[in-house]
Amino acid sequence: MLNSNPNKVSLTVLPPLALYVHFPWCEKKCPYCDFNSHQIKEGKTGFDEERYINALIADLETELPNTWGRQVHSIFIGGGTPSLLSAQGMDHLLCAIRARVNLEPDAEITMEANPGSIEADKFAGFAKAGINRVSIGVQSFQDEQLKALGRIHSSIEAKRAIQIAMKHFKSVNLDLMYGLPNQTLELAKADIETALSFKTPHLSFYNLTLEPNTYFASFPPNLPSEDVIDAIYEQNLDLLTKAGYHRYEVSAYAQKNQECKHNLNYWRFGDYIGIGAGAHGKISYPDRITRQVRERQPEAYMTAMEFKGNALIENREIEAKDLPFEFMLNTLRLTEGVDTNTFSERTGLPLSVMSKSLGEASKKGLLDENPSRLKATALGIRYLNNLQELFLN
């Protein structure tokens, strides 16, 4: 029976469950990055791998009572630069995870990697440990652009890293950015064409934005004009479509059946356990939906796990009035949207709570008028922030 109370969450079926593992260290903090990443201190050889992995395992154990009986469909190890881990450390971590959760036999297990931290033997070890998908932070194939972005790898290293990854992993994604400092239409095209030459099954293209509390926000570089950025966007879309990639999310392009399952779970408002320094999690129960946040600083996180057995700094129930915006914030990023009934399945609320906003979005031409789908129009995708804001209230 569908819930008709707009102020009370009532879930009849819990959504799919994923696991996110955060690795907080990197060799160098990029000037545009607002993720929870911490540069390895100068003069130190690295980080205490064993201590951090033990903290991750203990953190996962604290979440088990909240997810008993639920199968984990995907794992994503992000950062930071998770490829700084040793192959032995990765094997230890994944073995510990398998021993504690009901992991789908053919689960997608993704690791983020930077070209500068890739070695052939190390990648072979990661694959043997169980990593079957890798996402490489290339950003650009132009050395001048890489320098402007504060990246520590070269174009040659990026190409070599992709070749190594293609030999060892079932799926490879390349992360690239556009709208870079002093970037022209021709330079952007060269980046796209170089990326396409490797025929990886998945590509992600992000428009460089100046995020608060980053170096670039304080000292903005010379970015292209909005007209040039729009032209690059149209060029990218055309080149990718002609190469056989379909755009299934605002910044994600895939060959047939090569979409990232883990990220699709986010965008469909699925659940995920989040472990590690600064990790976020979302867990649903029959009568409520919660969000969690862990300690951001690696030392504070490890100390909390060691002495308190818990590193949560936030564990809150999402109020029913906020669920429509949270749901639409994610699902409207998908170019195909979601079935209308997904809203009630994932939020436990009747669709009628959004009637006014849905009508306004359709009237403005931002939302598809198909009553069986919640889907942004091409105009809605272009002006996604404006569309999402309609659901704030």
Side-chain angles (χ1 to χ4, degrees):
M1 181 176 179
L2 290 176
N3 175 28
S4 59
N5 187 341
N7 299 310
K8 184 178 179 182
V9 172
S10 179
L11 295 174
T12 55
V13 178
L14 297 180
L17 179 67
L19 171 63
Y20 175 74
V21 182
H22 192 74
F23 180 86
W25 289 284
C26 55
E27 292 181 85
K28 182 182 178 184
K29 182 77 172 180
C30 296
Y32 57 85
C33 179
D34 67 336
F35 295 142
N36 184 37
S37 59
H38 303 266
Q39 185 170 319
I40 296 172
K41 291 181 180 178
E42 190 174 350
K44 291 197 173 184
T45 56
F47 49 90
D48 193 333
E49 177 175 284
E50 183 178 4
R51 185 185 176 205
Y52 190 70
I53 291 174
N54 287 339
L56 289 173
I57 296 168
D59 196 358
L60 177 61
E61 289 176 345
T62 68
E63 285 301 313
L64 297 182
N66 300 322
T67 55
W68 283 129
R70 298 178 65 181
Q71 188 172 56
V72 172
H73 298 278
S74 64
I75 299 173
F76 195 103
I77 305 169
T81 308
S83 50
L84 290 174
L85 280 167
S86 68
Q88 294 80 7
M90 184 66 73
D91 184 60
H92 178 199
L93 175 62
L94 291 179
C95 284
I97 291 171
R98 291 189 192 96
R100 288 162 176 78
V101 303
N102 177 17
L103 185 63
E104 188 177 274
D106 194 29
E108 175 189 272
I109 305 177
T110 303
M111 177 190 71
E112 289 185 332
N114 281 339
S117 62
I118 292 174
E119 304 165 11
D121 290 345
K122 199 176 187 182
F123 260 31
F126 288 146
K128 188 176 180 181
I131 300 294
N132 52 33
R133 184 177 183 274
V134 68
S135 180
I136 304 176
V138 175
Q139 314 313 354
S140 175
F141 289 99
Q142 313 291 328
D143 284 333
E144 284 190 19
Q145 297 286 8
L146 290 171
K147 185 177 180 181
L149 290 172
R151 305 295 286 174
I152 61 173
H153 67 270
S154 66
S155 175
I156 291 175
E157 288 174 318
K159 293 171 184 176
R160 178 176 173 271
I162 297 167
Q163 292 167 341
I164 294 172
M166 294 287 283
K167 290 179 181 178
H168 291 289
F169 301 102
K170 181 180 177 182
S171 184
V172 175
N173 168 63
L174 304 183
D175 269 349
L176 286 104
M177 303 175 80
Y178 69 95
L180 307 180
N182 302 308
Q183 189 177 43
T184 63
L185 201 59
E186 292 73 21
L187 287 173
K189 184 178 182 181
D191 269 351
I192 294 280
E193 290 178 337
T194 303
L196 291 174
S197 71
F198 291 99
K199 296 182 170 61
T200 60
H202 195 285
L203 295 167
S204 299
F205 286 93
Y206 302 95
N207 184 10
L208 174 63
T209 54
L210 306 184
E211 300 293 346
N213 302 316
T214 63
Y215 181 85
F216 272 1
S218 300
F219 305 95
N222 182 31
L223 299 182
S225 68
E226 287 297 322
D227 287 343
V228 171
I229 290 175
D230 285 346
I232 292 173
Y233 163 84
E234 295 293 348
Q235 173 184 257
N236 287 3
L237 190 56
D238 182 57
L239 289 168
L240 287 159
T241 301
K242 288 178 178 176
Y245 292 80
H246 72 100
R247 186 190 193 194
Y248 69 98
E249 188 267 345
V250 170
S251 303
Y253 303 77
Q255 294 176 355
K256 188 176 181 180
N257 299 322
Q258 292 296 322
E259 298 87 353
C260 177
K261 295 177 182 177
H262 187 89
N263 286 341
L264 277 174
N265 186 57
Y266 289 146
W267 297 320
R268 290 170 177 162
F269 210 54
D271 279 357
Y272 50 98
I273 300 167
I275 60 172
H280 290 236
K282 170 184 172 283
I283 304 294
S284 299
Y285 303 85
D287 61 346
R288 67 193 188 282
I289 300 172
T290 63
R291 286 202 182 276
Q292 305 171 329
V293 183
R294 265 76 176 166
E295 288 276 5
R296 285 180 58 86
Q297 293 294 329
E299 180 60 37
Y301 168 77
M302 290 185 288
T303 299
M305 290 310 309
E306 290 163 350
F307 291 97
K308 295 195 302 182
N310 194 307
L312 287 174
I313 57 172
E314 183 179 312
N315 187 17
R316 64 178 177 87
E317 181 177 342
I318 306 174
E319 293 186 44
K321 67 180 180 63
D322 296 326
L323 281 169
F325 175 68
E326 293 222 11
F327 178 87
M328 298 299 271
L329 186 68
N330 287 279
T331 56
L332 289 175
R333 293 181 64 88
L334 294 168
T335 58
E336 292 302 314
V338 294
D339 290 339
T340 306
N341 60 12
T342 306
F343 176 77
S344 294
E345 289 176 358
R346 299 290 163 89
T347 66
L349 300 174
L351 186 65
S352 59
V353 300
M354 296 198 299
S355 295
K356 184 179 179 181
S357 297
L358 290 172
E360 189 176 352
S362 295
K363 187 177 180 180
K364 291 184 175 182
L366 301 175
L367 194 70
D368 196 296
E369 294 185 357
N370 182 347
S372 65
R373 293 198 73 74
L374 297 170
K375 174 185 174 182
T377 61
L379 185 67
I381 289 287
R382 177 62 71 90
Y383 297 102
L384 187 60
N385 288 343
N386 301 77
L387 172 57
Q388 292 164 332
E389 285 173 2
L390 294 176
F391 297 89
L392 266 173
N393 298 316

